[in-house]
PDB file of all heavy atoms in Angstrom:
ATOM      1  N   LYS A 311     -14.245   2.734  -4.698  1.00 55.00           N
ATOM      2  CA  LYS A 311     -13.798   2.520  -6.073  1.00 55.00           C
ATOM      3  C   LYS A 311     -14.619   1.430  -6.739  1.00 55.00           C
ATOM      4  O   LYS A 311     -14.976   1.528  -7.915  1.00 55.00           O
ATOM      5  CB  LYS A 311     -12.313   2.172  -6.095  1.00 55.00           C
ATOM      6  CG  LYS A 311     -11.391   3.340  -5.777  1.00 55.00           C
ATOM      7  CD  LYS A 311      -9.939   2.927  -5.849  1.00 55.00           C
ATOM      8  CE  LYS A 311      -9.018   4.121  -5.575  1.00 55.00           C
ATOM      9  NZ  LYS A 311      -7.588   3.732  -5.634  1.00 55.00           N
ATOM     10  N   LYS A 312     -14.919   0.345  -5.978  1.00 54.00           N
ATOM     11  CA  LYS A 312     -15.721  -0.731  -6.543  1.00 54.00           C
ATOM     12  C   LYS A 312     -17.125  -0.227  -6.882  1.00 54.00           C
ATOM     13  O   LYS A 312     -17.677  -0.546  -7.939  1.00 54.00           O
ATOM     14  CB  LYS A 312     -15.790  -1.907  -5.581  1.00 54.00           C
ATOM     15  CG  LYS A 312     -16.560  -3.093  -6.181  1.00 54.00           C
ATOM     16  CD  LYS A 312     -16.757  -4.215  -5.203  1.00 54.00           C
ATOM     17  CE  LYS A 312     -17.546  -5.350  -5.862  1.00 54.00           C
ATOM     18  NZ  LYS A 312     -17.846  -6.451  -4.934  1.00 54.00           N
ATOM     19  N   SER A 313     -17.715   0.580  -5.980  1.00 54.00           N
ATOM     20  CA  SER A 313     -19.053   1.104  -6.223  1.00 54.00           C
ATOM     21  C   SER A 313     -19.065   2.008  -7.453  1.00 54.00           C
ATOM     22  O   SER A 313     -19.981   1.945  -8.275  1.00 54.00           O
ATOM     23  CB  SER A 313     -19.540   1.883  -4.999  1.00 54.00           C
ATOM     24  OG  SER A 313     -19.616   1.037  -3.864  1.00 54.00           O
ATOM     25  N   GLU A 314     -18.017   2.843  -7.574  1.00 51.00           N
ATOM     26  CA  GLU A 314     -17.940   3.732  -8.736  1.00 51.00           C
ATOM     27  C   GLU A 314     -17.802   2.904 -10.024  1.00 51.00           C
ATOM     28  O   GLU A 314     -18.377   3.247 -11.058  1.00 51.00           O
ATOM     29  CB  GLU A 314     -16.763   4.687  -8.581  1.00 51.00           C
ATOM     30  CG  GLU A 314     -16.972   5.726  -7.483  1.00 51.00           C
ATOM     31  CD  GLU A 314     -15.749   6.602  -7.294  1.00 51.00           C
ATOM     32  OE1 GLU A 314     -14.679   6.227  -7.845  1.00 51.00           O
ATOM     33  OE2 GLU A 314     -15.860   7.622  -6.607  1.00 51.00           O
ATOM     34  N   HIS A 315     -17.022   1.807  -9.945  1.00 49.00           N
ATOM     35  CA  HIS A 315     -16.843   0.953 -11.115  1.00 49.00           C
ATOM     36  C   HIS A 315     -18.149   0.283 -11.521  1.00 49.00           C
ATOM     37  O   HIS A 315     -18.498   0.218 -12.695  1.00 49.00           O
ATOM     38  CB  HIS A 315     -15.780  -0.114 -10.824  1.00 49.00           C
ATOM     39  CG  HIS A 315     -15.495  -1.037 -11.958  1.00 49.00           C
ATOM     40  ND1 HIS A 315     -14.933  -0.624 -13.137  1.00 49.00           N
ATOM     41  CD2 HIS A 315     -15.741  -2.383 -12.113  1.00 49.00           C
ATOM     42  CE1 HIS A 315     -14.821  -1.648 -13.967  1.00 49.00           C
ATOM     43  NE2 HIS A 315     -15.306  -2.725 -13.358  1.00 49.00           N
ATOM     44  N   ILE A 316     -18.912  -0.168 -10.522  1.00 48.00           N
ATOM     45  CA  ILE A 316     -20.212  -0.801 -10.805  1.00 48.00           C
ATOM     46  C   ILE A 316     -21.176   0.219 -11.392  1.00 48.00           C
ATOM     47  O   ILE A 316     -21.899  -0.056 -12.354  1.00 48.00           O
ATOM     48  CB  ILE A 316     -20.786  -1.431  -9.528  1.00 48.00           C
ATOM     49  CG1 ILE A 316     -19.916  -2.608  -9.075  1.00 48.00           C
ATOM     50  CG2 ILE A 316     -22.217  -1.890  -9.740  1.00 48.00           C
ATOM     51  CD1 ILE A 316     -20.325  -3.200  -7.744  1.00 48.00           C
ATOM     52  N   ASP A 317     -21.191   1.439 -10.814  1.00 51.00           N
ATOM     53  CA  ASP A 317     -22.067   2.479 -11.314  1.00 51.00           C
ATOM     54  C   ASP A 317     -21.709   2.833 -12.760  1.00 51.00           C
ATOM     55  O   ASP A 317     -22.594   3.063 -13.601  1.00 51.00           O
ATOM     56  CB  ASP A 317     -21.974   3.735 -10.440  1.00 51.00           C
ATOM     57  CG  ASP A 317     -22.600   3.501  -9.065  1.00 51.00           C
ATOM     58  OD1 ASP A 317     -23.415   2.568  -8.949  1.00 51.00           O
ATOM     59  OD2 ASP A 317     -22.261   4.239  -8.138  1.00 51.00           O
ATOM     60  N   TYR A 318     -20.398   2.896 -13.034  1.00 45.00           N
ATOM     61  CA  TYR A 318     -19.956   3.213 -14.395  1.00 45.00           C
ATOM     62  C   TYR A 318     -20.413   2.133 -15.373  1.00 45.00           C
ATOM     63  O   TYR A 318     -20.910   2.431 -16.462  1.00 45.00           O
ATOM     64  CB  TYR A 318     -18.435   3.335 -14.420  1.00 45.00           C
ATOM     65  CG  TYR A 318     -17.859   3.520 -15.807  1.00 45.00           C
ATOM     66  CD1 TYR A 318     -17.895   4.761 -16.447  1.00 45.00           C
ATOM     67  CD2 TYR A 318     -17.295   2.435 -16.479  1.00 45.00           C
ATOM     68  CE1 TYR A 318     -17.365   4.908 -17.721  1.00 45.00           C
ATOM     69  CE2 TYR A 318     -16.776   2.578 -17.744  1.00 45.00           C
ATOM     70  CZ  TYR A 318     -16.800   3.817 -18.361  1.00 45.00           C
ATOM     71  OH  TYR A 318     -16.295   3.964 -19.626  1.00 45.00           O
ATOM     72  N   GLN A 319     -20.284   0.869 -14.969  1.00 50.00           N
ATOM     73  CA  GLN A 319     -20.716  -0.225 -15.839  1.00 50.00           C
ATOM     74  C   GLN A 319     -22.229  -0.176 -16.065  1.00 50.00           C
ATOM     75  O   GLN A 319     -22.711  -0.384 -17.175  1.00 50.00           O
ATOM     76  CB  GLN A 319     -20.315  -1.572 -15.236  1.00 50.00           C
ATOM     77  CG  GLN A 319     -18.821  -1.858 -15.296  1.00 50.00           C
ATOM     78  CD  GLN A 319     -18.476  -3.207 -14.691  1.00 50.00           C
ATOM     79  OE1 GLN A 319     -19.131  -3.653 -13.762  1.00 50.00           O
ATOM     80  NE2 GLN A 319     -17.450  -3.846 -15.204  1.00 50.00           N
ATOM     81  N   ASN A 320     -22.990   0.089 -15.001  1.00 53.00           N
ATOM     82  CA  ASN A 320     -24.444   0.165 -15.131  1.00 53.00           C
ATOM     83  C   ASN A 320     -24.857   1.326 -16.038  1.00 53.00           C
ATOM     84  O   ASN A 320     -25.758   1.190 -16.869  1.00 53.00           O
ATOM     85  CB  ASN A 320     -25.091   0.302 -13.754  1.00 53.00           C
ATOM     86  CG  ASN A 320     -24.934  -0.956 -12.910  1.00 53.00           C
ATOM     87  OD1 ASN A 320     -24.760  -2.045 -13.460  1.00 53.00           O
ATOM     88  ND2 ASN A 320     -25.005  -0.815 -11.601  1.00 53.00           N
ATOM     89  N   ASN A 321     -24.197   2.469 -15.848  1.00 55.00           N
ATOM     90  CA  ASN A 321     -24.524   3.638 -16.671  1.00 55.00           C
ATOM     91  C   ASN A 321     -24.192   3.380 -18.140  1.00 55.00           C
ATOM     92  O   ASN A 321     -24.939   3.767 -19.038  1.00 55.00           O
ATOM     93  CB  ASN A 321     -23.768   4.864 -16.179  1.00 55.00           C
ATOM     94  CG  ASN A 321     -24.263   5.340 -14.819  1.00 55.00           C
ATOM     95  OD1 ASN A 321     -25.425   5.082 -14.464  1.00 55.00           O
ATOM     96  ND2 ASN A 321     -23.411   6.015 -14.073  1.00 55.00           N
ATOM     97  N   ALA A 322     -23.043   2.704 -18.355  1.00 52.00           N
ATOM     98  CA  ALA A 322     -22.643   2.388 -19.735  1.00 52.00           C
ATOM     99  C   ALA A 322     -23.651   1.444 -20.377  1.00 52.00           C
ATOM    100  O   ALA A 322     -24.015   1.583 -21.546  1.00 52.00           O
ATOM    101  CB  ALA A 322     -21.248   1.782 -19.743  1.00 52.00           C
ATOM    102  N   ALA A 323     -24.125   0.459 -19.580  1.00 52.00           N
ATOM    103  CA  ALA A 323     -25.108  -0.484 -20.114  1.00 52.00           C
ATOM    104  C   ALA A 323     -26.430   0.227 -20.433  1.00 52.00           C
ATOM    105  O   ALA A 323     -27.068  -0.024 -21.464  1.00 52.00           O
ATOM    106  CB  ALA A 323     -25.341  -1.610 -19.111  1.00 52.00           C
ATOM    107  N   ASN A 324     -26.826   1.165 -19.558  1.00 55.00           N
ATOM    108  CA  ASN A 324     -28.070   1.894 -19.780  1.00 55.00           C
ATOM    109  C   ASN A 324     -27.963   2.782 -21.022  1.00 55.00           C
ATOM    110  O   ASN A 324     -28.908   2.898 -21.802  1.00 55.00           O
ATOM    111  CB  ASN A 324     -28.414   2.741 -18.554  1.00 55.00           C
ATOM    112  CG  ASN A 324     -28.800   1.899 -17.357  1.00 55.00           C
ATOM    113  OD1 ASN A 324     -29.273   0.773 -17.521  1.00 55.00           O
ATOM    114  ND2 ASN A 324     -28.596   2.423 -16.157  1.00 55.00           N
TER     115      ASN A 324
END
Side-chain angles (χ1 to χ4, degrees):
K311 288 182 178 180
K312 184 185 179 184
S313 299
E314 290 176 348
H315 180 66
I316 293 174
D317 291 340
Y318 173 79
Q319 289 180 328
N320 292 336
N321 291 335
N324 292 334

